[in-house]
Amino acid sequence: MALPRRKRRVYSEAFKRQVVAEYEQGATVTELKRKYDIRGNTTLKRWVQRYGRQPYRTETVYIQTAADLDHVRHLQEEV
């Protein structure tokens, strides 16, 4: 017995642009997918490529302060 297929969702261009604007303001893909119940894995990437002014972020950027680096060094020395 085959499983029933999910209904395909259709989003308006205005909605897509709103989501892309939030993405460009710093929201993560995970946050936006959860907030708007967007299920597709590449949906937001396609929207960003089509409507965005900035490229799709593919890297995770970690910002560390000097105090964070000192703390990590201290922990490494303890080990």
Side-chain angles (χ1 to χ4, degrees):
M1 184 168 142
L3 294 174
R5 294 188 67 174
R6 288 186 186 179
K7 243 183 168 179
R8 184 171 181 240
R9 292 183 175 193
V10 178
Y11 302 97
S12 70
E13 182 178 334
F15 175 78
K16 294 174 187 178
R17 289 182 182 274
Q18 173 190 337
V19 174
V20 169
E22 289 184 41
Y23 174 80
E24 289 182 336
Q25 292 173 1
T28 67
V29 171
T30 304
E31 292 169 344
L32 293 170
K33 285 179 70 171
R34 187 175 300 127
K35 180 178 180 180
Y36 294 111
D37 193 29
I38 299 169
R39 296 187 184 132
N41 290 327
T42 60
T43 302
L44 286 174
K45 182 177 183 176
R46 284 181 290 148
W47 294 356
V48 169
Q49 290 171 338
R50 176 175 276 177
Y51 302 111
R53 289 175 281 179
Q54 300 172 8
Y56 186 77
R57 296 186 301 265
T58 57
E59 299 178 52
T60 303
V61 178
Y62 296 97
I63 301 173
Q64 294 182 328
T65 64
D68 292 338
L69 292 173
D70 290 340
H71 181 68
V72 170
R73 286 185 190 125
H74 175 73
L75 292 173
Q76 288 173 340
E77 288 173 3
E78 285 183 358
V79 172

Coordinates of all heavy atoms in Angstrom, one line a residue:
M1 N 0.8 -1.2 0.0 CA 0.0 0.0 0.0 C 0.9 1.2 0.0 O 1.8 1.4 0.8 CB -0.9 0.0 1.2 CG -1.9 1.1 1.3 SD -3.1 0.8 2.6 CE -3.2 2.4 3.2
A2 N 0.7 2.1 -0.9 CA 1.5 3.3 -1.1 C 1.0 4.4 -0.1 O -0.1 4.5 0.3 CB 1.4 3.9 -2.5
L3 N 2.0 5.1 0.4 CA 1.7 6.2 1.3 C 1.1 7.4 0.6 O 1.5 7.7 -0.6 CB 3.0 6.7 2.1 CG 3.6 5.7 3.0 CD1 5.0 6.2 3.5 CD2 2.7 5.4 4.2
P4 N 0.2 8.1 1.2 CA -0.4 9.3 0.5 C 0.7 10.4 0.4 O 1.5 10.6 1.3 CB -1.5 9.7 1.4 CG -1.2 9.2 2.7 CD -0.4 7.9 2.5
R5 N 0.7 11.0 -0.8 CA 1.7 12.1 -1.0 C 1.2 13.4 -0.4 O 0.0 13.7 -0.3 CB 1.9 12.3 -2.5 CG 2.5 11.1 -3.2 CD 2.9 11.4 -4.6 NE 3.9 12.4 -4.5 CZ 4.6 12.8 -5.6 NH1 4.3 12.3 -6.8 NH2 5.5 13.7 -5.5
R6 N 2.1 14.2 0.0 CA 1.7 15.5 0.6 C 1.3 16.4 -0.5 O 1.8 16.4 -1.6 CB 2.9 16.2 1.3 CG 3.3 15.5 2.6 CD 4.4 16.3 3.3 NE 4.8 15.5 4.5 CZ 5.8 16.0 5.3 NH1 6.4 17.1 5.0 NH2 6.1 15.3 6.3
K7 N 0.4 17.3 -0.2 CA 0.0 18.3 -1.1 C 1.1 19.3 -1.3 O 1.7 19.8 -0.4 CB -1.3 19.1 -0.6 CG -2.5 18.9 -1.4 CD -3.6 19.7 -0.8 CE -4.7 19.7 -1.8 NZ -5.9 20.5 -1.3
R8 N 1.3 19.7 -2.6 CA 2.3 20.7 -2.9 C 1.8 22.1 -2.5 O 0.7 22.5 -2.7 CB 2.5 20.7 -4.4 CG 3.6 21.6 -4.8 CD 4.0 21.4 -6.3 NE 5.0 22.3 -6.6 CZ 5.0 23.2 -7.5 NH1 3.9 23.3 -8.3 NH2 6.0 24.0 -7.8
R9 N 2.6 22.8 -1.8 CA 2.3 24.1 -1.3 C 2.7 25.2 -2.3 O 3.8 25.0 -3.0 CB 3.0 24.4 0.0 CG 2.5 23.6 1.1 CD 3.2 24.0 2.4 NE 2.6 23.3 3.5 CZ 2.8 23.6 4.8 NH1 3.6 24.6 5.1 NH2 2.3 22.9 5.7
V10 N 1.9 26.2 -2.5 CA 2.3 27.3 -3.4 C 2.3 28.6 -2.6 O 1.4 28.9 -1.8 CB 1.2 27.4 -4.5 CG1 1.5 28.6 -5.4 CG2 1.1 26.1 -5.3
Y11 N 3.4 29.2 -2.7 CA 3.7 30.5 -1.9 C 3.6 31.7 -2.8 O 4.1 31.6 -4.0 CB 5.0 30.4 -1.2 CG 5.2 29.3 -0.2 CD1 5.8 28.1 -0.6 CD2 4.7 29.3 1.1 CE1 6.0 27.0 0.2 CE2 4.8 28.3 1.9 CZ 5.5 27.1 1.5 OH 5.7 26.1 2.4
S12 N 3.1 32.8 -2.4 CA 3.1 34.0 -3.2 C 4.4 34.6 -3.3 O 5.3 34.4 -2.4 CB 2.1 35.0 -2.6 OG 2.6 35.5 -1.4
E13 N 4.6 35.4 -4.3 CA 5.9 36.1 -4.5 C 6.2 37.0 -3.3 O 7.3 37.1 -2.8 CB 6.0 36.8 -5.8 CG 7.3 37.5 -6.0 CD 7.4 38.2 -7.4 OE1 6.7 37.8 -8.3 OE2 8.2 39.2 -7.4
A14 N 5.2 37.7 -2.8 CA 5.3 38.6 -1.7 C 5.8 37.9 -0.5 O 6.7 38.4 0.3 CB 4.0 39.4 -1.5
F15 N 5.2 36.7 -0.2 CA 5.6 35.9 0.9 C 7.1 35.5 0.8 O 7.9 35.6 1.7 CB 4.7 34.7 1.0 CG 5.2 33.7 2.1 CD1 4.9 34.0 3.5 CD2 5.9 32.6 1.8 CE1 5.3 33.1 4.5 CE2 6.3 31.7 2.8 CZ 6.0 32.0 4.1
K16 N 7.5 35.0 -0.4 CA 8.9 34.6 -0.6 C 9.8 35.8 -0.4 O 10.9 35.6 0.3 CB 9.0 34.1 -2.1 CG 8.3 32.8 -2.3 CD 8.4 32.5 -3.8 CE 7.5 31.3 -4.2 NZ 7.6 31.0 -5.6
R17 N 9.5 36.9 -0.9 CA 10.3 38.1 -0.7 C 10.4 38.5 0.8 O 11.5 38.9 1.2 CB 9.8 39.3 -1.5 CG 10.1 39.1 -3.0 CD 9.6 40.3 -3.8 NE 9.7 40.1 -5.2 CZ 10.9 40.4 -5.9 NH1 11.9 40.8 -5.3 NH2 10.9 40.2 -7.2
Q18 N 9.4 38.4 1.5 CA 9.4 38.7 3.0 C 10.3 37.7 3.7 O 11.1 38.1 4.5 CB 8.0 38.5 3.5 CG 7.9 38.6 5.0 CD 6.6 38.3 5.6 OE1 5.6 38.3 4.9 NE2 6.6 37.9 6.9
V19 N 10.2 36.4 3.4 CA 11.1 35.4 4.0 C 12.6 35.7 3.6 O 13.4 35.6 4.5 CB 10.7 34.0 3.6 CG1 11.6 33.0 4.1 CG2 9.3 33.7 4.1
V20 N 12.8 36.0 2.4 CA 14.2 36.3 1.9 C 14.7 37.5 2.7 O 15.9 37.6 3.1 CB 14.3 36.4 0.4 CG1 15.6 37.0 0.0 CG2 14.0 35.1 -0.3
A21 N 13.9 38.5 2.8 CA 14.3 39.7 3.6 C 14.7 39.4 5.0 O 15.7 39.9 5.5 CB 13.2 40.8 3.5
E22 N 14.0 38.5 5.7 CA 14.3 38.1 7.0 C 15.6 37.4 7.0 O 16.4 37.5 7.9 CB 13.2 37.3 7.6 CG 12.0 38.1 8.0 CD 10.9 37.2 8.6 OE1 11.3 36.4 9.5 OE2 9.7 37.4 8.3
Y23 N 15.8 36.5 6.0 CA 17.0 35.8 5.9 C 18.2 36.7 5.7 O 19.3 36.5 6.4 CB 16.9 34.8 4.7 CG 18.2 34.1 4.3 CD1 18.6 33.0 5.1 CD2 19.0 34.5 3.3 CE1 19.7 32.3 4.8 CE2 20.2 33.8 3.0 CZ 20.5 32.7 3.7 OH 21.7 32.1 3.5
E24 N 18.1 37.7 4.9 CA 19.2 38.7 4.7 C 19.4 39.5 5.9 O 20.5 40.1 6.0 CB 18.9 39.5 3.4 CG 19.0 38.7 2.2 CD 18.7 39.5 0.9 OE1 18.0 40.6 1.0 OE2 19.2 39.1 -0.2
Q25 N 18.5 39.6 6.8 CA 18.7 40.4 8.0 C 19.3 39.5 9.1 O 19.5 40.0 10.2 CB 17.3 41.0 8.5 CG 16.8 42.0 7.6 CD 15.4 42.5 8.0 OE1 14.8 42.0 9.0 NE2 14.8 43.4 7.3
G26 N 19.6 38.3 8.8 CA 20.3 37.4 9.7 C 19.6 36.2 10.2 O 20.3 35.4 11.0
A27 N 18.4 36.0 9.9 CA 17.7 34.8 10.4 C 18.3 33.6 9.7 O 18.7 33.7 8.5 CB 16.2 34.9 10.0
T28 N 18.3 32.5 10.4 CA 18.8 31.2 9.8 C 17.8 30.5 9.0 O 16.6 30.7 9.3 CB 19.4 30.3 10.9 OG1 18.3 29.9 11.7 CG2 20.5 31.0 11.7
V29 N 18.2 29.6 8.2 CA 17.3 28.8 7.4 C 16.4 27.9 8.3 O 15.2 27.8 8.2 CB 18.0 27.9 6.4 CG1 17.1 26.9 5.8 CG2 18.7 28.7 5.3
T30 N 17.0 27.4 9.4 CA 16.3 26.6 10.3 C 15.2 27.4 11.0 O 14.1 26.9 11.2 CB 17.3 26.0 11.4 OG1 18.3 25.2 10.7 CG2 16.5 25.0 12.3
E31 N 15.5 28.6 11.4 CA 14.5 29.4 12.1 C 13.4 29.7 11.2 O 12.2 29.6 11.6 CB 15.2 30.7 12.5 CG 16.2 30.6 13.6 CD 17.0 31.9 13.8 OE1 17.0 32.8 13.0 OE2 17.6 32.0 14.9
L32 N 13.7 30.1 10.0 CA 12.6 30.4 9.0 C 11.7 29.2 8.6 O 10.5 29.4 8.5 CB 13.2 31.1 7.8 CG 13.9 32.4 8.0 CD1 14.7 32.9 6.8 CD2 12.9 33.5 8.4
K33 N 12.4 28.1 8.4 CA 11.6 26.9 8.1 C 10.6 26.6 9.2 O 9.5 26.2 9.0 CB 12.5 25.7 7.8 CG 13.2 25.8 6.5 CD 14.2 24.7 6.2 CE 13.3 23.4 6.0 NZ 14.1 22.3 5.6
R34 N 11.1 26.7 10.5 CA 10.3 26.4 11.6 C 9.2 27.4 11.8 O 8.0 27.1 12.0 CB 11.1 26.3 12.9 CG 10.4 25.9 14.1 CD 11.3 25.7 15.3 NE 12.3 24.7 15.1 CZ 13.6 25.0 15.3 NH1 14.0 26.1 15.7 NH2 14.5 24.0 15.0
K35 N 9.5 28.7 11.6 CA 8.6 29.8 11.8 C 7.4 29.7 10.8 O 6.3 30.0 11.2 CB 9.3 31.1 11.7 CG 8.4 32.4 11.9 CD 9.3 33.6 11.8 CE 8.5 34.9 11.9 NZ 9.3 36.1 11.8
Y36 N 7.7 29.4 9.6 CA 6.7 29.5 8.5 C 6.3 28.1 8.0 O 5.6 28.0 7.1 CB 7.3 30.3 7.3 CG 7.4 31.7 7.7 CD1 8.7 32.3 7.8 CD2 6.3 32.6 7.9 CE1 8.9 33.6 8.1 CE2 6.5 33.9 8.2 CZ 7.8 34.4 8.3 OH 7.9 35.7 8.7
D37 N 6.8 27.0 8.7 CA 6.4 25.6 8.4 C 6.8 25.4 6.9 O 5.9 24.8 6.1 CB 5.0 25.3 8.7 CG 4.7 23.9 8.6 OD1 5.6 23.1 8.9 OD2 3.5 23.5 8.3
I38 N 8.0 25.7 6.5 CA 8.4 25.4 5.1 C 9.1 24.1 5.2 O 10.1 23.9 5.9 CB 9.4 26.6 4.6 CG1 8.6 27.9 4.6 CG2 9.9 26.2 3.3 CD1 9.4 29.1 4.4
R39 N 8.7 23.1 4.4 CA 9.2 21.8 4.5 C 10.3 21.4 3.5 O 11.1 20.6 3.8 CB 8.1 20.8 4.3 CG 7.0 21.0 5.4 CD 6.0 19.9 5.4 NE 5.0 20.2 6.4 CZ 3.7 20.1 6.2 NH1 3.2 19.9 5.0 NH2 2.9 20.4 7.2
G40 N 10.4 22.0 2.4 CA 11.4 21.6 1.4 C 12.8 22.0 1.9 O 13.1 23.0 2.5
N41 N 13.8 21.1 1.5 CA 15.2 21.3 2.0 C 15.9 22.4 1.1 O 16.8 23.0 1.6 CB 15.9 20.0 1.9 CG 15.5 19.0 2.9 OD1 15.1 19.4 4.0 ND2 15.5 17.7 2.6
T42 N 15.5 22.6 -0.1 CA 16.2 23.6 -0.9 C 15.3 24.7 -1.3 O 15.6 25.6 -2.1 CB 16.7 22.9 -2.2 OG1 15.5 22.4 -3.0 CG2 17.7 21.9 -2.0
T43 N 14.1 24.8 -0.7 CA 13.1 25.9 -1.0 C 13.7 27.2 -0.8 O 13.7 28.1 -1.7 CB 11.8 25.7 -0.2 OG1 11.3 24.4 -0.5 CG2 10.8 26.7 -0.6
L44 N 14.2 27.5 0.4 CA 14.7 28.8 0.8 C 16.0 29.2 -0.1 O 16.1 30.3 -0.4 CB 15.1 28.9 2.2 CG 13.9 29.0 3.2 CD1 14.3 28.9 4.6 CD2 13.1 30.3 2.9
K45 N 16.8 28.2 -0.4 CA 18.0 28.4 -1.2 C 17.5 29.0 -2.6 O 18.1 29.9 -3.1 CB 18.8 27.2 -1.4 CG 20.0 27.4 -2.2 CD 20.9 26.1 -2.2 CE 22.2 26.4 -3.0 NZ 23.0 25.2 -3.0
R46 N 16.5 28.3 -3.2 CA 16.0 28.8 -4.5 C 15.5 30.2 -4.4 O 15.7 31.0 -5.3 CB 15.0 27.8 -5.0 CG 15.7 26.6 -5.6 CD 14.6 25.6 -6.1 NE 13.9 25.1 -5.0 CZ 12.6 24.8 -5.0 NH1 11.9 24.8 -6.1 NH2 12.0 24.4 -3.9
W47 N 14.7 30.5 -3.3 CA 14.1 31.8 -3.1 C 15.2 32.9 -3.0 O 15.1 34.0 -3.6 CB 13.2 31.8 -1.9 CG 12.0 31.0 -2.0 CD1 11.6 30.3 -3.1 CD2 11.0 30.8 -1.0 NE1 10.4 29.6 -2.8 CE2 10.0 29.9 -1.5 CE3 10.9 31.2 0.3 CZ2 8.9 29.5 -0.8 CZ3 9.8 30.8 1.1 CH2 8.8 30.0 0.5
V48 N 16.3 32.6 -2.2 CA 17.4 33.5 -2.0 C 18.1 33.8 -3.3 O 18.4 34.9 -3.7 CB 18.3 33.0 -0.9 CG1 19.6 33.9 -0.9 CG2 17.7 33.0 0.4
Q49 N 18.3 32.7 -4.1 CA 18.9 32.9 -5.4 C 18.1 33.7 -6.4 O 18.6 34.5 -7.1 CB 19.2 31.5 -6.0 CG 20.3 30.8 -5.3 CD 20.5 29.3 -5.8 OE1 19.6 28.7 -6.3 NE2 21.6 28.7 -5.5
R50 N 16.8 33.6 -6.3 CA 15.9 34.3 -7.2 C 15.6 35.8 -6.7 O 15.7 36.7 -7.5 CB 14.6 33.6 -7.4 CG 13.6 34.4 -8.3 CD 12.4 33.6 -8.5 NE 12.7 32.7 -9.7 CZ 11.8 31.8 -10.1 NH1 10.7 31.7 -9.6 NH2 12.2 31.1 -11.2
Y51 N 15.3 35.9 -5.5 CA 14.9 37.2 -5.0 C 15.9 38.0 -4.1 O 15.7 39.2 -3.8 CB 13.6 37.1 -4.2 CG 12.5 36.4 -4.9 CD1 12.1 35.1 -4.6 CD2 11.8 37.0 -6.0 CE1 11.0 34.5 -5.3 CE2 10.8 36.4 -6.7 CZ 10.4 35.1 -6.3 OH 9.4 34.5 -7.0
G52 N 16.9 37.3 -3.7 CA 17.8 38.0 -2.8 C 18.8 38.9 -3.4 O 19.2 38.8 -4.6
R53 N 19.3 39.8 -2.6 CA 20.4 40.7 -3.0 C 21.8 40.2 -2.6 O 22.8 40.7 -3.0 CB 20.2 42.1 -2.4 CG 19.0 42.8 -3.1 CD 18.7 44.1 -2.4 NE 18.0 43.8 -1.2 CZ 17.5 44.6 -0.3 NH1 17.8 45.9 -0.4 NH2 16.9 44.2 0.8
Q54 N 21.8 39.3 -1.6 CA 23.0 38.7 -1.1 C 23.0 37.2 -1.5 O 21.9 36.6 -1.6 CB 23.1 38.9 0.4 CG 23.0 40.3 0.8 CD 22.9 40.4 2.3 OE1 23.0 39.4 3.1 NE2 22.7 41.6 2.8
P55 N 24.2 36.6 -1.6 CA 24.2 35.2 -1.9 C 23.8 34.3 -0.7 O 23.8 34.8 0.4 CB 25.7 34.9 -2.2 CG 26.4 36.0 -1.6 CD 25.5 37.2 -1.5
Y56 N 23.4 33.1 -1.0 CA 23.0 32.1 0.0 C 24.2 31.8 0.8 O 25.3 31.5 0.3 CB 22.5 30.9 -0.7 CG 21.9 29.9 0.2 CD1 20.6 30.0 0.7 CD2 22.6 28.7 0.5 CE1 20.1 29.1 1.6 CE2 22.1 27.7 1.3 CZ 20.8 27.9 1.9 OH 20.3 27.0 2.7
R57 N 24.0 31.9 2.2 CA 25.1 31.6 3.1 C 25.3 30.1 3.2 O 24.4 29.3 3.6 CB 24.8 32.1 4.5 CG 24.7 33.6 4.5 CD 24.5 34.2 5.9 NE 23.4 33.7 6.7 CZ 22.2 34.3 6.7 NH1 22.0 35.4 6.1 NH2 21.2 33.8 7.4
T58 N 26.5 29.6 2.9 CA 26.8 28.2 3.0 C 27.7 27.9 4.1 O 28.0 26.7 4.3 CB 27.4 27.7 1.6 OG1 28.6 28.4 1.4 CG2 26.4 27.8 0.5
E59 N 28.3 28.8 4.7 CA 29.2 28.6 5.8 C 28.7 29.1 7.1 O 27.9 30.0 7.2 CB 30.5 29.4 5.6 CG 31.2 29.1 4.3 CD 32.5 29.9 4.1 OE1 33.3 30.0 5.0 OE2 32.6 30.5 3.1
T60 N 29.1 28.4 8.2 CA 28.8 28.9 9.5 C 29.9 29.7 10.0 O 31.1 29.3 9.9 CB 28.6 27.7 10.5 OG1 27.5 26.8 9.9 CG2 28.2 28.1 11.8
V61 N 29.6 30.9 10.5 CA 30.6 31.8 11.0 C 30.5 31.9 12.5 O 29.5 32.2 13.0 CB 30.5 33.2 10.3 CG1 31.5 34.2 10.9 CG2 30.5 33.1 8.8
Y62 N 31.6 31.6 13.1 CA 31.7 31.7 14.6 C 32.5 32.9 14.9 O 33.7 33.0 14.5 CB 32.3 30.4 15.2 CG 31.5 29.2 14.9 CD1 31.9 28.3 13.9 CD2 30.5 28.9 15.7 CE1 31.1 27.2 13.7 CE2 29.7 27.8 15.5 CZ 30.0 26.9 14.5 OH 29.3 25.8 14.2
I63 N 32.0 33.8 15.7 CA 32.7 35.0 16.2 C 33.1 34.8 17.6 O 32.2 34.5 18.5 CB 31.8 36.2 16.0 CG1 31.4 36.4 14.6 CG2 32.5 37.5 16.5 CD1 30.3 37.5 14.3
Q64 N 34.4 34.9 17.9 CA 34.9 34.7 19.2 C 35.6 35.9 19.7 O 36.3 36.6 18.9 CB 35.8 33.5 19.3 CG 35.2 32.2 19.0 CD 36.2 31.0 19.1 OE1 37.4 31.2 18.8 NE2 35.7 29.9 19.5
T65 N 35.4 36.2 20.9 CA 36.1 37.4 21.5 C 37.5 36.9 22.0 O 37.7 35.7 22.1 CB 35.3 38.0 22.7 OG1 35.2 37.0 23.7 CG2 33.9 38.4 22.2
A66 N 38.3 37.8 22.4 CA 39.6 37.5 22.9 C 39.4 36.6 24.2 O 40.2 35.7 24.5 CB 40.4 38.7 23.2
A67 N 38.4 37.0 25.0 CA 38.2 36.3 26.3 C 37.8 34.8 26.0 O 38.2 33.9 26.7 CB 37.1 37.0 27.1
D68 N 37.0 34.6 24.9 CA 36.6 33.3 24.5 C 37.8 32.4 24.1 O 38.0 31.3 24.5 CB 35.6 33.3 23.3 CG 34.3 33.8 23.7 OD1 33.9 33.8 24.9 OD2 33.5 34.2 22.8
L69 N 38.7 33.0 23.4 CA 39.9 32.3 22.9 C 40.8 32.0 24.1 O 41.4 30.9 24.2 CB 40.7 33.2 21.9 CG 40.0 33.4 20.6 CD1 40.8 34.4 19.7 CD2 39.9 32.0 19.9
D70 N 40.9 32.9 25.1 CA 41.7 32.6 26.3 C 41.1 31.5 27.1 O 41.8 30.6 27.6 CB 41.8 33.9 27.2 CG 42.7 35.0 26.6 OD1 43.5 34.6 25.7 OD2 42.5 36.1 27.0
H71 N 39.8 31.5 27.2 CA 39.1 30.4 27.9 C 39.4 29.0 27.2 O 39.6 28.0 27.9 CB 37.6 30.7 28.0 CG 36.8 29.7 28.7 ND1 36.9 29.5 30.1 CD2 35.9 28.8 28.3 CE1 36.1 28.6 30.5 NE2 35.5 28.1 29.4
V72 N 39.3 29.0 25.9 CA 39.5 27.8 25.2 C 41.0 27.3 25.4 O 41.2 26.1 25.7 CB 39.2 27.9 23.7 CG1 39.7 26.7 22.9 CG2 37.7 28.1 23.5
R73 N 41.9 28.2 25.3 CA 43.3 27.8 25.6 C 43.5 27.3 27.0 O 44.2 26.3 27.2 CB 44.2 29.0 25.3 CG 44.4 29.4 23.9 CD 45.4 30.5 23.7 NE 45.3 31.0 22.3 CZ 45.1 32.2 22.0 NH1 45.0 33.2 22.8 NH2 45.1 32.6 20.7
H74 N 42.9 27.9 27.9 CA 43.0 27.5 29.3 C 42.4 26.0 29.5 O 43.0 25.2 30.1 CB 42.3 28.4 30.3 CG 42.2 28.0 31.7 ND1 43.3 28.0 32.5 CD2 41.2 27.5 32.4 CE1 43.0 27.5 33.7 NE2 41.7 27.2 33.7
L75 N 41.3 25.8 28.9 CA 40.7 24.4 28.9 C 41.6 23.4 28.2 O 41.7 22.3 28.7 CB 39.3 24.5 28.3 CG 38.2 25.2 29.0 CD1 36.9 25.3 28.2 CD2 37.9 24.6 30.4
Q76 N 42.2 23.8 27.1 CA 43.0 22.9 26.4 C 44.3 22.5 27.2 O 44.8 21.4 27.2 CB 43.5 23.5 25.0 CG 42.4 23.5 24.0 CD 42.7 24.2 22.8 OE1 43.7 25.0 22.7 NE2 42.0 23.9 21.7
E77 N 44.8 23.5 28.0 CA 46.0 23.3 28.8 C 45.6 22.3 29.9 O 46.4 21.5 30.3 CB 46.5 24.6 29.4 CG 47.2 25.5 28.4 CD 47.5 26.8 28.9 OE1 47.3 27.1 30.1 OE2 48.0 27.7 28.2
E78 N 44.4 22.4 30.5 CA 43.9 21.5 31.5 C 43.9 20.1 31.1 O 44.2 19.2 31.8 CB 42.6 22.0 32.1 CG 42.6 23.2 33.0 CD 41.3 23.5 33.5 OE1 40.3 22.8 33.2 OE2 41.2 24.5 34.3
V79 N 43.5 19.9 29.9 CA 43.3 18.5 29.3 C 44.7 18.0 29.1 O 45.1 16.9 29.4 CB 42.6 18.6 28.0 CG1 42.6 17.2 27.3 CG2 41.1 19.0 28.2

